[in-house]
Amino acid sequence: CQYMAEEGAVTDWHLVHLGSLAVGGAALVYTEMTDVSREGRITPGCAGMYKPEHIAAWRRIVDFVHANSGAKICLQLAHAGRKGSTKLAWEGGESEALTEGGWEVLSASPLPYVSDGQVPREMDRADMDKVVADFTAAAARAEATGFDMIEVHMAHGYLLACFLSPLTNQRSDAYGGDPENRLRFPLEVLDAVRSAWPSRKPIAVRISATDW
């Protein structure tokens, strides 16, 4: 993450950062974690794909990569979950909640990321439906932008990772308990993204092999 976006919109910083990777000879360039909603950001500086104007901001980069290199470019879509509403990396990072301009955070269960952090609200079905819709809309915007690939981020303790892990998912409903249930919501998101993304283009999934 570069933490240099403005209200989710990527800037010249991202153009230079990703463009230099592409012209450097990489076959595939991944964006940083790009959030599917304003409340899905880690910090106020995180990149997003949740507003129509984000399409034009990202298109500058996608077009540059395609015009000036042989690289493909992948958009990494995510929701920060309980790790959201924190300060920029050089102001304290994910261990310090925002003191001004913060937002409510969500997770599988009401367990804060750090002991003195903001307690997330346990998601209900309406929350899940909104997140699915946000991922779906972001995937459609990614196609309109011209991205070659999507990765759905289910790692690093973010929202979907919190459903996958038995340490952070303590639910007693159909979305908690055994692995099949813990996979249920992340797979709902993945199915929705797949339906909004052209079948000719690939989708990847990022998972964590450890909860540290």
Side-chain angles (χ1 to χ4, degrees):
C1 293
Q2 299 295 296
Y3 304 114
M4 296 293 287
E6 298 174 359
E7 283 298 317
V10 289
T11 66
D12 287 349
W13 177 280
H14 303 85
L15 175 65
V16 173
H17 171 60
L18 294 168
S20 65
L21 295 174
V23 300
L28 175 64
V29 175
Y30 268 65
T31 70
E32 63 192 86
M33 173 183 168
T34 301
D35 299 300
V36 299
S37 63
R38 189 176 188 277
E39 62 273 16
R41 297 173 299 166
I42 310 169
T43 77
C46 288
M49 189 57 109
Y50 52 86
K51 296 195 292 187
E53 48 265 46
H54 292 163
I55 295 174
W58 275 116
R59 187 177 287 138
R60 287 182 66 220
I61 297 171
V62 171
D63 287 351
F64 179 90
V65 169
H66 289 157
N68 295 281
S69 76
K72 302 297 184 182
I73 183 165
C74 175
L75 181 64
Q76 186 185 79
L77 290 178
H79 188 299
R82 68 181 190 155
K83 293 178 75 173
S85 192
T86 59
K87 295 181 179 179
L88 296 171
W90 49 90
E91 295 176 351
E94 61 192 24
S95 63
E96 291 193 32
L98 288 170
T99 53
E100 295 183 10
W103 53 88
E104 182 182 41
V105 295
L106 304 173
S107 191
S109 299
L111 304 170
Y113 179 66
V114 292
S115 59
D116 59 347
Q118 183 179 171
V119 177
R121 179 162 58 83
E122 181 173 300
M123 293 175 67
D124 59 20
R125 186 62 249 181
D127 296 320
M128 293 181 194
D129 289 343
K130 182 181 185 306
V131 168
V132 170
D134 288 340
F135 269 92
T136 305
R141 292 188 182 105
E143 167 60 9
T145 304
F147 278 98
D148 302 297
M149 178 176 168
I150 282 177
E151 181 180 76
V152 179
H153 202 322
M154 299 186 185
H156 301 177
Y158 299 129
L159 181 64
L160 300 181
C162 283
F163 274 85
L164 292 173
S165 172
L167 301 181
T168 50
N169 184 340
Q170 298 184 3
R171 303 174 71 97
S172 57
D173 62 4
Y175 295 92
D178 62 32
E180 182 178 2
N181 283 358
R182 299 198 310 273
L183 278 163
R184 193 182 305 275
F185 179 58
L187 288 177
E188 287 179 8
V189 171
L190 181 60
D191 286 344
V193 170
R194 179 72 273 180
S195 69
W197 187 242
S199 59
R200 70 183 186 279
K201 293 185 177 182
I203 292 178
V205 173
R206 176 171 297 211
I207 60 171
S208 294
T210 175
D211 283 309
W212 303 287

